[in-house]
Coordinates of all heavy atoms in Angstrom, one line a residue:
M276 N -88.5 4.8 6.9 CA -87.1 4.2 7.1 C -86.1 5.2 6.1 O -86.2 5.4 5.1 CB -87.1 2.9 6.6 CG -85.8 2.1 7.0 SD -85.8 0.4 6.8 CE -86.8 -0.1 8.1
R277 N -84.9 5.4 6.8 CA -84.0 6.2 6.0 C -83.4 5.2 4.9 O -83.1 4.1 5.1 CB -82.9 6.5 6.9 CG -83.1 7.7 7.8 CD -81.8 8.2 8.4 NE -81.0 7.2 8.9 CZ -79.6 7.4 9.3 NH1 -79.2 8.7 9.5 NH2 -78.8 6.5 9.7
Q278 N -83.0 5.8 3.8 CA -82.3 5.2 2.8 C -80.8 5.9 2.6 O -80.7 7.1 2.7 CB -83.0 5.4 1.4 CG -84.5 4.7 1.5 CD -85.1 4.9 0.2 OE1 -84.9 5.8 -0.6 NE2 -86.2 4.1 0.0
I279 N -79.8 4.9 2.4 CA -78.6 5.4 2.3 C -77.9 5.0 0.9 O -78.2 3.9 0.5 CB -77.7 4.8 3.5 CG1 -78.3 5.1 4.8 CG2 -76.3 5.0 3.4 CD1 -77.9 4.3 5.9
K280 N -77.3 5.9 0.4 CA -76.6 5.8 -0.9 C -75.0 5.5 -0.7 O -74.5 6.3 -0.2 CB -76.8 7.1 -1.7 CG -76.1 7.0 -3.1 CD -76.3 8.4 -3.9 CE -75.8 8.4 -5.1 NZ -75.9 9.8 -5.9
L281 N -74.8 4.1 -1.0 CA -73.5 3.7 -0.9 C -72.7 4.0 -2.3 O -73.2 3.7 -3.2 CB -73.4 2.2 -0.5 CG -74.1 1.9 0.9 CD1 -74.1 0.3 1.0 CD2 -73.4 2.6 2.0
I282 N -71.5 4.5 -2.2 CA -70.8 5.0 -3.3 C -69.4 4.4 -3.4 O -68.7 4.3 -2.4 CB -70.7 6.5 -3.2 CG1 -72.2 7.2 -3.1 CG2 -69.8 7.1 -4.4 CD1 -72.1 8.7 -2.8
W283 N -69.2 4.1 -4.7 CA -67.8 3.5 -5.0 C -67.3 4.4 -6.0 O -67.9 4.7 -7.0 CB -67.8 2.1 -5.6 CG -68.4 1.1 -4.7 CD1 -67.4 0.2 -4.0 CD2 -69.5 0.8 -4.3 NE1 -68.1 -0.7 -3.3 CE2 -69.6 -0.4 -3.3 CE3 -70.8 1.1 -4.5 CZ2 -70.5 -1.0 -2.7 CZ3 -71.9 0.6 -3.8 CH2 -71.7 -0.5 -3.0
D284 N -66.1 5.0 -5.8 CA -65.4 6.0 -6.6 C -64.3 5.4 -7.5 O -63.7 4.5 -7.0 CB -64.5 7.0 -5.7 CG -65.5 7.9 -5.0 OD1 -66.0 8.8 -5.6 OD2 -65.6 7.8 -3.7
F285 N -64.3 5.7 -8.8 CA -63.3 5.1 -9.6 C -62.7 6.4 -10.4 O -63.3 7.2 -10.8 CB -64.0 4.2 -10.7 CG -64.7 3.0 -10.0 CD1 -66.1 3.2 -9.8 CD2 -63.9 2.0 -9.8 CE1 -66.8 2.1 -9.2 CE2 -64.7 0.9 -9.2 CZ -66.0 0.9 -8.9
K286 N -61.4 6.3 -10.5 CA -60.6 7.3 -11.1 C -59.6 6.8 -12.1 O -59.2 5.6 -12.2 CB -59.9 8.1 -10.0 CG -60.7 8.7 -9.0 CD -60.1 9.5 -8.0 CE -61.1 10.1 -7.1 NZ -60.6 11.1 -6.1
G287 N -59.3 7.7 -13.0 CA -58.5 7.4 -14.3 C -59.3 7.3 -15.7 O -60.5 7.8 -15.6
Q288 N -58.5 7.1 -16.6 CA -59.0 7.3 -17.8 C -60.2 6.3 -18.1 O -61.1 6.5 -18.9 CB -58.1 7.0 -18.9 CG -56.9 7.9 -19.0 CD -57.4 9.2 -19.4 OE1 -58.2 9.5 -20.2 NE2 -56.9 10.4 -19.0
M289 N -60.3 5.1 -17.4 CA -61.4 4.1 -17.6 C -62.4 4.2 -16.7 O -63.2 3.3 -16.5 CB -60.7 2.7 -17.7 CG -59.7 2.4 -18.8 SD -60.5 2.5 -20.5 CE -61.6 1.2 -20.4
A290 N -62.4 5.2 -15.8 CA -63.3 5.4 -14.7 C -64.9 5.2 -15.0 O -65.5 4.4 -14.4 CB -63.2 6.7 -14.0
A291 N -65.3 5.8 -16.1 CA -66.6 5.6 -16.5 C -67.1 4.3 -16.9 O -68.0 3.7 -16.4 CB -66.9 6.6 -17.7
K292 N -66.2 3.6 -17.6 CA -66.4 2.2 -18.0 C -66.4 1.3 -16.8 O -67.3 0.4 -16.7 CB -65.5 1.7 -19.0 CG -65.7 2.2 -20.4 CD -66.9 1.6 -21.0 CE -67.0 2.0 -22.5 NZ -68.2 1.6 -23.1
I293 N -65.6 1.5 -15.8 CA -65.4 0.7 -14.7 C -66.7 0.8 -13.7 O -67.2 -0.1 -13.2 CB -64.2 1.0 -13.9 CG1 -63.0 0.4 -14.8 CG2 -64.1 0.2 -12.6 CD1 -61.6 0.9 -14.2
A294 N -67.2 2.0 -13.6 CA -68.2 2.4 -12.8 C -69.5 1.8 -13.4 O -70.3 1.3 -12.8 CB -68.4 3.9 -12.6
E295 N -69.7 1.8 -14.8 CA -70.8 1.2 -15.4 C -70.9 -0.2 -15.2 O -71.8 -0.8 -14.9 CB -70.8 1.6 -16.9 CG -71.8 1.0 -17.7 CD -71.9 1.5 -19.2 OE1 -70.8 1.9 -19.5 OE2 -72.9 1.2 -19.8
H296 N -69.6 -0.9 -15.2 CA -69.6 -2.3 -15.1 C -69.9 -2.7 -13.7 O -70.5 -3.7 -13.4 CB -68.1 -2.9 -15.6 CG -68.0 -4.3 -15.2 ND1 -68.4 -5.2 -16.2 CD2 -67.2 -4.9 -14.4 CE1 -68.0 -6.4 -15.8 NE2 -67.3 -6.3 -14.6
H297 N -69.3 -1.9 -12.8 CA -69.5 -2.2 -11.3 C -71.0 -2.1 -11.0 O -71.5 -2.9 -10.2 CB -68.7 -1.2 -10.4 CG -68.7 -1.4 -9.0 ND1 -68.0 -2.6 -8.5 CD2 -69.3 -1.0 -7.9 CE1 -68.1 -2.7 -7.2 NE2 -68.9 -1.6 -6.8
E298 N -71.8 -1.2 -11.6 CA -73.2 -1.2 -11.4 C -73.8 -2.5 -11.8 O -74.8 -2.9 -11.1 CB -73.9 -0.1 -12.2 CG -75.3 0.1 -11.9 CD -76.1 0.9 -12.9 OE1 -75.6 1.3 -13.9 OE2 -77.3 1.0 -12.6
N299 N -73.4 -3.1 -12.8 CA -74.0 -4.6 -13.2 C -73.8 -5.5 -12.0 O -74.7 -6.3 -11.7 CB -73.3 -5.1 -14.4 CG -73.6 -4.2 -15.6 OD1 -74.7 -3.7 -15.7 ND2 -72.8 -4.2 -16.6
H300 N -72.6 -5.4 -11.3 CA -72.4 -6.4 -10.2 C -73.2 -5.9 -9.0 O -73.8 -6.9 -8.3 CB -70.9 -6.3 -9.7 CG -70.0 -7.0 -10.8 ND1 -70.0 -8.3 -11.1 CD2 -69.0 -6.4 -11.6 CE1 -69.1 -8.5 -12.0 NE2 -68.5 -7.5 -12.3
L301 N -73.5 -4.6 -8.8 CA -74.4 -4.3 -7.7 C -75.8 -4.8 -8.1 O -76.5 -5.2 -7.0 CB -74.4 -2.7 -7.5 CG -73.1 -2.1 -7.2 CD1 -73.2 -0.6 -7.2 CD2 -72.6 -2.6 -5.8
K302 N -76.4 -4.6 -9.2 CA -77.7 -5.1 -9.5 C -77.8 -6.6 -9.3 O -78.7 -7.2 -8.8 CB -77.9 -4.9 -11.0 CG -78.2 -3.5 -11.3 CD -78.5 -3.2 -12.8 CE -78.8 -1.8 -13.1 NZ -79.0 -1.5 -14.6
E303 N -76.7 -7.4 -9.6 CA -76.6 -8.9 -9.5 C -76.7 -9.2 -7.9 O -77.5 -10.1 -7.5 CB -75.3 -9.5 -10.0 CG -75.3 -9.5 -11.4 CD -74.0 -10.0 -12.0 OE1 -73.0 -10.1 -11.2 OE2 -73.8 -10.0 -13.2
Y304 N -76.0 -8.4 -7.1 CA -76.0 -8.6 -5.6 C -77.3 -8.3 -5.1 O -77.8 -9.1 -4.3 CB -75.0 -7.7 -5.0 CG -74.8 -7.8 -3.6 CD1 -74.0 -8.8 -3.0 CD2 -75.4 -6.8 -2.7 CE1 -74.0 -8.9 -1.7 CE2 -75.3 -7.1 -1.4 CZ -74.5 -8.0 -0.9 OH -74.3 -8.1 0.5
I305 N -77.9 -7.3 -5.6 CA -79.4 -7.0 -5.1 C -80.3 -8.2 -5.4 O -81.1 -8.6 -4.5 CB -79.9 -5.7 -5.8 CG1 -79.2 -4.5 -5.0 CG2 -81.4 -5.5 -5.5 CD1 -79.3 -3.2 -5.8
A306 N -80.3 -8.7 -6.6 CA -81.0 -9.8 -6.9 C -80.8 -11.0 -6.1 O -81.8 -11.7 -5.6 CB -80.9 -10.1 -8.4
I307 N -79.6 -11.3 -5.9 CA -79.2 -12.5 -5.1 C -79.7 -12.3 -3.6 O -80.3 -13.3 -3.1 CB -77.6 -12.8 -5.1 CG1 -77.3 -13.2 -6.5 CG2 -77.2 -13.7 -4.1 CD1 -75.8 -13.0 -6.8
E308 N -79.5 -11.2 -3.2 CA -79.8 -10.9 -1.7 C -81.3 -10.5 -1.5 O -81.8 -10.6 -0.3 CB -78.9 -9.9 -1.2 CG -77.6 -10.2 -1.0 CD -77.2 -11.3 -0.2 OE1 -77.8 -11.4 0.9 OE2 -76.2 -12.0 -0.3
K309 N -82.1 -10.4 -2.6 CA -83.3 -10.1 -2.6 C -83.8 -8.9 -1.7 O -84.7 -8.8 -0.9 CB -84.3 -11.3 -2.1 CG -84.2 -12.4 -3.1 CD -85.1 -13.7 -2.4 CE -84.9 -14.8 -3.4 NZ -83.8 -15.5 -3.6
F310 N -83.0 -7.8 -1.9 CA -83.2 -6.5 -1.2 C -84.5 -5.9 -1.6 O -84.9 -5.9 -2.8 CB -82.1 -5.5 -1.3 CG -80.8 -5.9 -0.6 CD1 -79.6 -5.9 -1.2 CD2 -80.9 -6.4 0.7 CE1 -78.4 -6.4 -0.5 CE2 -79.8 -6.8 1.4 CZ -78.6 -6.6 0.8
P311 N -85.3 -5.3 -0.7 CA -86.4 -4.5 -1.1 C -86.2 -3.4 -2.0 O -87.3 -2.9 -2.7 CB -87.1 -4.1 0.3 CG -85.9 -3.9 1.2 CD -85.0 -4.9 0.7
I312 N -85.1 -2.6 -2.0 CA -84.8 -1.6 -2.8 C -83.9 -2.0 -3.9 O -82.9 -2.6 -3.8 CB -84.2 -0.4 -2.0 CG1 -85.2 0.0 -1.0 CG2 -83.8 0.8 -2.9 CD1 -84.4 1.0 0.0
N313 N -84.2 -1.5 -5.2 CA -83.2 -1.9 -6.3 C -82.7 -0.7 -7.0 O -82.8 -0.7 -8.2 CB -83.9 -3.0 -7.2 CG -85.1 -2.4 -7.9 OD1 -85.6 -1.3 -7.6 ND2 -85.6 -3.2 -8.8
I314 N -82.4 0.3 -6.3 CA -81.9 1.6 -6.9 C -80.4 1.5 -7.1 O -79.7 1.4 -6.1 CB -82.3 2.7 -6.1 CG1 -83.8 2.8 -6.1 CG2 -81.7 4.1 -6.6 CD1 -84.3 3.9 -4.9
T315 N -79.8 1.6 -8.3 CA -78.5 1.6 -8.5 C -78.3 2.6 -9.6 O -79.2 3.2 -10.3 CB -77.9 0.2 -9.0 OG1 -78.6 -0.1 -10.3 CG2 -78.3 -0.9 -8.0
G316 N -76.9 2.8 -9.8 CA -76.6 3.9 -10.9 C -75.2 4.0 -11.0 O -74.4 3.6 -10.2
F317 N -74.9 4.9 -12.1 CA -73.4 5.4 -12.2 C -73.5 6.8 -12.7 O -74.4 7.1 -13.4 CB -72.5 4.4 -13.0 CG -72.8 4.4 -14.5 CD1 -71.9 5.2 -15.3 CD2 -73.7 3.7 -15.1 CE1 -72.2 5.4 -16.5 CE2 -74.0 3.8 -16.5 CZ -73.2 4.6 -17.2
E318 N -72.5 7.5 -12.3 CA -72.5 8.9 -12.7 C -71.0 9.2 -13.1 O -70.1 8.9 -12.4 CB -73.0 9.8 -11.5 CG -74.3 9.7 -11.1 CD -74.7 10.5 -10.0 OE1 -74.0 11.4 -9.7 OE2 -75.8 10.2 -9.2
I319 N -71.0 10.0 -14.2 CA -69.5 10.6 -14.5 C -69.4 11.9 -14.0 O -70.2 12.9 -14.3 CB -69.5 10.5 -16.1 CG1 -69.7 9.1 -16.7 CG2 -68.2 11.2 -16.6 CD1 -69.9 9.1 -18.2
I320 N -68.4 12.0 -13.1 CA -68.2 13.2 -12.4 C -67.2 14.2 -13.2 O -67.5 15.3 -13.5 CB -67.5 13.0 -11.0 CG1 -68.2 11.9 -10.2 CG2 -67.2 14.3 -10.2 CD1 -69.7 12.3 -9.9
S321 N -66.3 13.6 -13.8 CA -65.3 14.3 -14.7 C -64.8 13.3 -15.7 O -65.1 12.1 -15.7 CB -64.2 15.0 -14.0 OG -63.4 14.0 -13.5
N322 N -63.8 13.6 -16.5 CA -63.3 12.7 -17.6 C -62.4 11.7 -16.9 O -62.0 10.8 -17.6 CB -62.7 13.4 -18.6 CG -61.5 14.2 -18.3 OD1 -61.2 14.6 -17.1 ND2 -60.7 14.6 -19.2
V323 N -62.0 11.9 -15.6 CA -61.2 10.9 -14.9 C -61.8 10.5 -13.6 O -61.1 9.9 -12.7 CB -59.8 11.5 -14.7 CG1 -59.1 11.5 -16.1 CG2 -59.8 12.9 -13.9
H324 N -63.1 10.8 -13.3 CA -63.7 10.3 -12.2 C -65.2 10.0 -12.4 O -65.9 10.7 -12.9 CB -63.7 11.6 -11.2 CG -64.2 11.1 -9.7 ND1 -64.8 12.2 -8.9 CD2 -64.4 10.0 -9.1 CE1 -65.0 11.6 -7.8 NE2 -65.0 10.4 -8.0
A325 N -65.5 8.8 -12.0 CA -66.9 8.3 -12.1 C -67.3 7.6 -10.7 O -66.4 7.1 -10.0 CB -67.1 7.3 -13.3
I326 N -68.6 7.4 -10.5 CA -68.9 6.7 -9.3 C -70.1 5.7 -9.6 O -70.7 5.7 -10.8 CB -69.6 7.6 -8.2 CG1 -71.0 8.2 -8.7 CG2 -68.6 8.6 -7.7 CD1 -71.7 8.9 -7.6
A327 N -70.1 4.6 -8.9 CA -71.2 3.7 -9.0 C -71.8 3.7 -7.7 O -71.3 3.9 -6.7 CB -70.7 2.1 -9.2
F328 N -73.2 3.5 -7.5 CA -73.9 3.6 -6.3 C -75.1 2.6 -6.1 O -75.5 2.1 -7.2 CB -74.3 4.9 -6.0 CG -75.4 5.4 -6.9 CD1 -76.8 5.2 -6.7 CD2 -75.1 6.2 -8.2 CE1 -77.8 5.7 -7.5 CE2 -76.2 6.6 -9.0 CZ -77.4 6.3 -8.6
M329 N -75.4 2.2 -4.9 CA -76.6 1.5 -4.7 C -77.3 2.1 -3.5 O -76.5 2.7 -2.6 CB -76.4 0.1 -4.6 CG -75.7 -0.4 -3.3 SD -75.4 -2.2 -3.1 CE -77.0 -2.8 -2.8
V330 N -78.6 2.0 -3.4 CA -79.3 2.6 -2.2 C -79.8 1.5 -1.4 O -80.4 0.4 -1.9 CB -80.5 3.4 -2.7 CG1 -81.3 3.9 -1.5 CG2 -79.9 4.7 -3.5
V331 N -79.6 1.6 -0.1 CA -80.0 0.5 0.8 C -80.8 1.1 1.9 O -80.7 2.4 2.2 CB -78.7 -0.3 1.3 CG1 -78.0 -1.0 0.4 CG2 -77.8 0.6 2.1
T332 N -81.5 0.3 2.6 CA -82.1 0.8 3.9 C -81.1 0.8 5.0 O -80.1 0.1 5.1 CB -83.5 -0.1 4.2 OG1 -83.0 -1.4 4.6 CG2 -84.4 0.0 3.2
D333 N -81.6 1.4 6.2 CA -80.7 1.3 7.4 C -80.3 -0.1 7.7 O -79.2 -0.5 8.2 CB -81.4 2.0 8.6 CG -81.2 3.6 8.7 OD1 -80.1 4.0 8.1 OD2 -81.9 4.2 9.3
E334 N -81.3 -1.0 7.6 CA -81.2 -2.3 8.3 C -80.1 -3.1 7.3 O -79.5 -4.0 8.0 CB -82.5 -3.1 8.4 CG -83.2 -3.5 7.1 CD -84.5 -4.2 7.3 OE1 -84.7 -4.7 8.5 OE2 -85.1 -4.4 6.4
N335 N -80.1 -2.8 6.1 CA -79.2 -3.4 5.2 C -77.8 -2.8 5.2 O -76.9 -3.4 4.5 CB -79.8 -3.6 3.8 CG -81.0 -4.3 3.8 OD1 -82.2 -3.9 3.5 ND2 -81.0 -5.5 4.1
M336 N -77.7 -1.6 5.5 CA -76.5 -0.9 5.4 C -75.2 -1.6 5.9 O -74.2 -1.7 5.2 CB -76.5 0.6 6.0 CG -75.4 1.5 5.5 SD -73.9 1.4 6.3 CE -74.2 1.9 8.0
I337 N -75.3 -2.1 7.1 CA -74.1 -2.6 7.8 C -73.6 -4.0 7.0 O -72.4 -4.1 6.7 CB -74.3 -2.8 9.2 CG1 -74.5 -1.6 9.9 CG2 -73.1 -3.7 9.9 CD1 -73.7 -1.1 11.0
P338 N -74.6 -4.9 6.7 CA -74.1 -6.1 6.0 C -73.6 -5.7 4.6 O -72.5 -6.4 4.1 CB -75.3 -6.9 5.9 CG -76.3 -6.5 6.8 CD -76.0 -5.0 7.2
V339 N -74.2 -4.8 3.9 CA -73.8 -4.5 2.7 C -72.3 -3.8 2.6 O -71.4 -4.1 2.0 CB -74.8 -3.6 1.8 CG1 -74.1 -3.0 0.5 CG2 -76.0 -4.4 1.6
R340 N -72.3 -2.9 3.7 CA -71.0 -2.2 3.8 C -69.9 -3.1 4.1 O -68.7 -3.0 3.6 CB -71.1 -1.2 4.9 CG -69.7 -0.6 5.3 CD -69.7 0.2 6.7 NE -69.6 -0.9 7.5 CZ -69.9 -0.8 8.9 NH1 -70.0 0.4 9.4 NH2 -69.8 -1.9 9.7
D341 N -70.1 -4.1 5.0 CA -69.1 -5.1 5.3 C -68.7 -6.1 4.2 O -67.5 -6.5 4.0 CB -69.5 -5.9 6.5 CG -69.5 -5.0 7.8 OD1 -69.0 -3.9 7.7 OD2 -70.2 -5.6 8.9
N342 N -69.7 -6.4 3.3 CA -69.5 -7.3 2.2 C -68.9 -6.7 1.0 O -68.0 -7.2 0.4 CB -70.9 -7.9 1.8 CG -71.3 -9.0 2.8 OD1 -70.5 -9.7 3.3 ND2 -72.5 -9.2 2.9
L343 N -69.3 -5.5 0.6 CA -68.9 -4.9 -0.6 C -67.9 -3.7 -0.5 O -67.6 -3.2 -1.5 CB -70.2 -4.4 -1.3 CG -71.2 -5.5 -1.6 CD1 -72.4 -4.9 -2.3 CD2 -70.6 -6.5 -2.4
K344 N -67.8 -3.2 0.7 CA -66.8 -2.2 1.0 C -66.8 -0.9 0.1 O -65.9 -0.5 -0.5 CB -65.3 -2.8 1.0 CG -65.1 -4.1 1.5 CD -64.3 -3.9 2.7 CE -63.9 -5.2 3.4 NZ -64.9 -6.1 4.0
P345 N -68.0 -0.2 0.2 CA -68.0 1.1 -0.6 C -67.0 2.0 0.0 O -66.7 2.0 1.2 CB -69.5 1.5 -0.3 CG -69.7 0.9 1.0 CD -69.1 -0.5 1.1
H346 N -66.8 3.0 -0.8 CA -65.8 4.0 -0.4 C -66.4 5.1 0.5 O -65.7 5.6 1.3 CB -65.2 4.8 -1.6 CG -64.4 3.7 -2.5 ND1 -64.6 3.6 -3.8 CD2 -63.5 2.9 -2.1 CE1 -63.9 2.7 -4.3 NE2 -63.1 2.2 -3.3
R347 N -67.7 5.4 0.5 CA -68.4 6.2 1.3 C -69.9 6.2 1.1 O -70.4 5.4 0.3 CB -68.1 7.8 0.8 CG -68.2 8.0 -0.6 CD -67.5 9.4 -1.0 NE -67.5 9.6 -2.6 CZ -68.3 10.4 -3.1 NH1 -69.2 11.1 -2.4 NH2 -68.3 10.5 -4.4
G348 N -70.7 6.9 2.0 CA -72.1 6.9 1.9 C -72.7 8.3 2.2 O -72.0 9.0 2.8
E349 N -74.0 8.3 1.8 CA -74.8 9.6 2.2 C -76.1 9.1 2.2 O -76.5 8.3 1.7 CB -74.4 10.6 1.2 CG -74.8 10.2 -0.3 CD -74.3 11.4 -1.3 OE1 -73.3 11.9 -1.1 OE2 -75.0 11.5 -2.2
L350 N -76.9 10.1 2.9 CA -78.3 9.9 2.9 C -78.8 10.1 1.6 O -78.4 10.9 0.8 CB -79.0 11.0 3.9 CG -78.9 10.6 5.3 CD1 -79.5 11.8 6.2 CD2 -79.4 9.3 5.8
Y351 N -79.7 9.3 1.2 CA -80.3 9.2 -0.2 C -81.6 10.0 -0.1 O -82.5 9.6 0.7 CB -80.6 7.9 -0.7 CG -81.2 7.9 -2.0 CD1 -80.5 8.3 -3.2 CD2 -82.5 7.4 -2.2 CE1 -81.0 8.2 -4.5 CE2 -83.1 7.3 -3.5 CZ -82.5 7.7 -4.7 OH -82.9 7.7 -5.8
I352 N -81.8 11.0 -0.7 CA -83.0 11.9 -0.8 C -83.5 12.1 -2.1 O -82.8 12.5 -3.1 CB -82.7 13.3 -0.2 CG1 -82.1 13.3 1.3 CG2 -83.9 14.2 -0.2 CD1 -81.6 14.5 1.8
I353 N -84.7 11.6 -2.3 CA -85.3 11.7 -3.7 C -85.5 13.0 -4.2 O -86.0 13.9 -3.7 CB -86.6 10.8 -3.8 CG1 -86.4 9.4 -3.1 CG2 -87.4 10.8 -5.0 CD1 -87.6 8.5 -3.0

C-alpha cells in the first residue's frame, strides 16, 4: 500500500518552533484516530522555513487531508 507524506509549511522567524509544536498535534491526532502508521516529524529547511509532516496510507489520506488541511503532499519513500 502506498504511503503519502502530508506536509505543512511554516515560514518566518518562528517557523522551526511552530513546526516542532505542530508535530505534537499530529502525534495526538494519530493516537486519537488510531492510525496504523505513526510516522511524523519536522524539518528545518532554512532559518525562515520549516515543515511538519505525517505519513498516512492511501485509505487515510482523504479524511486526514479534509480534516487537517496540509499544504501539500508527496509519496513517502523510505
Side-chain angles (χ1 to χ4, degrees):
M276 183 175 286
R277 281 191 325 173
Q278 295 179 345
I279 300 164
K280 181 179 179 180
L281 299 176
I282 302 167
W283 290 262
D284 290 287
F285 300 97
K286 297 189 177 182
Q288 295 295 325
M289 298 296 294
K292 286 287 190 191
I293 294 169
E295 183 178 10
H296 179 77
H297 191 73
E298 182 193 11
N299 293 331
H300 291 294
L301 296 175
K302 289 178 180 180
E303 292 169 354
Y304 183 80
I305 288 169
I307 290 167
E308 297 295 326
K309 298 178 175 72
F310 285 135
I312 300 174
N313 63 352
I314 300 170
T315 64
F317 75 96
E318 297 174 16
I319 299 170
I320 308 300
S321 73
N322 62 343
V323 292
H324 183 203
I326 65 168
F328 66 88
M329 74 182 284
V330 176
V331 297
T332 60
D333 269 340
E334 71 178 351
N335 296 118
M336 193 278 295
I337 300 239
V339 172
R340 180 200 67 192
D341 292 348
N342 287 328
L343 301 183
K344 313 248 186 294
H346 298 125
R347 57 195 170 101
E349 60 188 38
L350 285 178
Y351 181 70
I352 301 170
I353 299 173

